[in-house]
Amino acid sequence: MDPRENIVPLTRVRAPSDALGRPIHDLRISVMDRCNFRCPYCMPRETFHESYRFLKSNERLDFAELLRLARVFVRAGVKKLRITGGEPLLRPNLSDLIGDLTSLPGIEDIALTTNGMLLAKYATELKAAGLTRITVSLDTLDPGVFAQMSGGFGGVAEVLDGIEHARRAGLAPIKINTVVQRGVNDHTLLDLIAHFRGTGIIVRFIEYMDVGTRNHWNPALVVPSRELAARIHARWPIVPRGRDYRGEVAERHLFEDGAGEIGFISSVSQPFCGDCSRARISSDGSFYTCLFATQGMDLRGPLRAGATDDELLELIRGVWSGRRDRYSELRASMRDAAALHKVEMNYIGG
Ligand SMILES: C[S@@+](CC[C@H](N)C(=O)[O-])C[C@H]1O[C@@H](n2cnc3c(N)ncnc32)[C@H](O)[C@@H]1O
Ligand code: SF4
C-alpha cells in the first residue's frame, strides 16, 4: 500500500461543524454598542434616546480580553474577523486593537464596517495598523433621504470624504453597504450606482431585515434583490458572477460594460442560513450564533473569573456544536417571528 494514502491532505481537515454541518469560519466582534447615528432601521431614536442605558466602559471587553477571545476563536476554526458595532470608530484607540488582531496567526482576513463619519480622521492610522480593506455604510447620496435614514445625524459630504480618505490611505477593496427600503431610498439608488461605477468601489444592496425588536420592521418596505437587480439591469446590464466561497453573504454581479461589480445581500427573499459560518460577540462578551438570536452565552464571566484558554475553547465548541439556528429560512413559516425577543444589532454587530 502506498504510505501516502494514510496522509490526510490539509485541505480536508475541517473545523468542527455545528448540528447542521456548518463550520465556524467568521467572527464578528462588536467593539462598541453606542453609535453617532440613529438609523431608524437599527437604532430608532425613540428607543435609543438620551437616557438609554448603554454599556459602561468596564462592562465592555477591554482590548486584552478581545484579543484573547479572538485567539481562542481561531483555535475553534475562525479565519476571518469583522470589527463592527454600534459604530466601531467611536471606540477609543481602535487602531491599537486592529494592529494586535492583524498580527494574530491563523487570521486570513480582517475587515471593518463603519458609517464613515469618523473615517476621514482615522483612515490613515487604520491602514498603518494593518487593516487592508473597509466597508462603509451609505444608503443614499440625497441629503434629505440620508438625514431620514441616519436619524438626522451626519451627512453625505462627510461620509464621501471619509471614503476618499480611505481610498487615499490605500484601503482596498472599499465596499459600500446600502440598506434598501421601498419608498424611502429605492428611488435614489441608480444615482448612487452612477457615482461609484467605474471607481473600483463595490456597492452592495442589503434587503431591509427584521433585526432586533425595535425597528418596527414592515415586510412591505423590503425590496427583493431580484426586483432591484432587474431595475439596475434595465439601466446598466449586469451578469451574475456567483459567490467566491461557501458562506459569502453577497451575490456578486458584474456590469457588462466592464465598469466593475455590485452585490446583493438577500437575507429576506433568498435566505442563506444553510451556509452561515458566522459567530458574533457582543461588546460585553456574549457569544451569539445568529444575527437573529434571542440569547447568547456569556464569555466575559468565565474570562474574568480566570478560565483558561482550553476552558474557553470548550465553551465555544460546545455552543457551536449544538447550533441549529436558521431563522431567516424559517421566518416566513413562523407565526410568532415578530414576537421573538431578538437581540439588538448595535449590540452584537451587523
Ligand atoms: C449595525 S451596522 C454597524 C456598523 C456601522 N455602524 C455601520 O453602520 O456601518 C452594520 C451594518 O448593518 C446594516 N443594518 C443595520 N440595520 C439593518 C437592517 N434592519 N436591515 C439590514 N441591514 C441593516 C447597516 O446598514 C450596516 O451596513
Ligand atoms: S446601522 Fe450603523 S450607523 Fe446606523 S444606527 Fe446602526 S450602528 Fe449606527
Side-chain angles (χ1 to χ4, degrees):
M1 182 177 137
D2 183 340
R4 282 171 303 179
E5 282 176 20
N6 285 331
I7 300 172
V8 180
L10 266 181
T11 48
R12 274 175 42 205
V13 177
R14 297 184 57 209
S17 295
D18 71 8
L20 302 179
R22 301 166 296 185
I24 186 169
H25 183 268
D26 296 29
L27 178 64
R28 299 196 169 192
I29 304 177
S30 173
V31 292
M32 174 54 94
D33 55 327
R34 289 173 186 268
C35 188
N36 45 359
F37 283 11
R38 286 293 179 274
C39 309
Y41 51 72
C42 176
M43 295 178 72
R45 282 176 96 142
E46 67 272 17
T47 302
F48 296 91
H49 43 66
E50 306 230 314
S51 41
Y52 181 82
R53 193 191 167 284
F54 287 101
L55 296 170
K56 299 194 190 100
S57 52
N58 67 350
E59 291 174 314
R60 287 187 207 109
L61 294 184
D62 65 27
F63 286 177
E65 290 169 331
L66 280 170
L67 194 61
R68 191 160 159 229
L69 274 190
R71 213 178 266 129
V72 178
F73 271 97
V74 169
R75 283 178 63 195
V78 163
K79 297 192 169 42
K80 179 175 167 188
L81 298 177
R82 178 172 295 277
I83 308 303
T84 179
E87 175 46 43
L89 296 184
L90 287 178
R91 180 79 191 242
N93 306 315
L94 184 70
S95 302
D96 293 346
L97 175 69
I98 301 279
D100 289 339
L101 291 174
T102 49
S103 45
L104 267 189
I107 291 295
E108 294 170 359
D109 184 30
I110 168 157
L112 173 88
T113 307
T114 170
N115 63 27
M117 271 308 283
L118 297 170
L119 193 51
K121 185 172 172 193
Y122 290 121
T124 308
E125 67 172 73
L126 288 167
K127 172 73 181 168
L131 189 73
T132 53
R133 63 196 193 85
I134 198 154
T135 302
V136 184
S137 299
L138 177 60
D139 297 332
T140 183
L141 295 179
D142 179 304
V145 176
F146 182 96
Q148 188 183 347
M149 296 184 80
S150 70
F153 294 89
V156 175
E158 288 98 323
V159 178
L160 289 178
D161 187 40
I163 293 168
E164 180 52 22
H165 275 75
R167 197 188 59 75
R168 273 193 250 138
L171 290 166
I174 298 174
K175 294 182 184 168
I176 305 293
N177 271 2
T178 303
V179 175
V180 180
Q181 291 185 303
R182 192 183 297 283
V184 181
N185 67 334
D186 60 333
H187 61 293
T188 70
L189 300 180
L190 293 185
D191 288 347
L192 186 80
I193 297 173
H195 183 88
F196 290 111
R197 250 172 58 85
T199 63
I201 295 175
I202 302 164
V203 179
R204 296 149 14 125
F205 297 103
I206 309 179
E207 288 177 349
Y208 167 43
M209 296 182 289
D210 50 339
V211 291
T213 53
R214 293 159 177 169
N215 73 354
H216 309 297
W217 189 67
N218 174 357
L221 295 194
V222 178
V223 179
S225 294
R226 287 215 175 99
E227 177 188 328
L228 182 60
R231 279 199 236 166
I232 296 168
H233 185 75
R235 176 73 180 78
W236 297 288
I238 49 176
V239 280
R241 191 198 139 154
R243 292 188 166 90
D244 264 4
Y245 58 92
R246 185 182 171 203
E248 186 176 36
V249 292
E251 203 183 299
R252 307 165 74 176
H253 285 65
L254 295 177
F255 289 110
E256 277 183 14
D257 64 4
E261 177 182 331
I262 52 173
F264 298 92
I265 300 174
S266 319
S267 123
V268 179
S269 67
Q270 298 160 63
F272 35 81
C273 305
D275 280 339
C276 181
S277 53
R278 281 173 292 286
R280 298 165 192 271
I281 37 181
S282 62
S283 333
D284 59 353
S286 286
F287 170 29
Y288 289 88
T289 53
C290 178
L291 178 57
F292 303 96
T294 51
Q295 61 185 37
M297 175 200 255
D298 174 38
L299 293 176
R300 185 188 64 186
L303 196 62
R304 291 190 179 172
T308 63
D309 284 3
D310 286 349
E311 286 164 350
L312 291 169
L313 182 62
E314 273 321 296
L315 288 175
I316 292 166
R317 283 201 173 134
V319 169
W320 193 264
S321 62
R323 176 183 189 247
R324 300 190 153 269
D325 310 77
R326 51 190 204 98
Y327 173 84
S328 289
E329 288 180 350
L330 299 176
R331 177 192 287 115
S333 59
M334 279 165 75
R335 262 180 297 139
D336 55 351
L340 286 177
H341 199 78
K342 294 180 268 97
V343 65
E344 298 300 323
M345 198 169 184
N346 66 305
Y347 175 67
I348 55 167

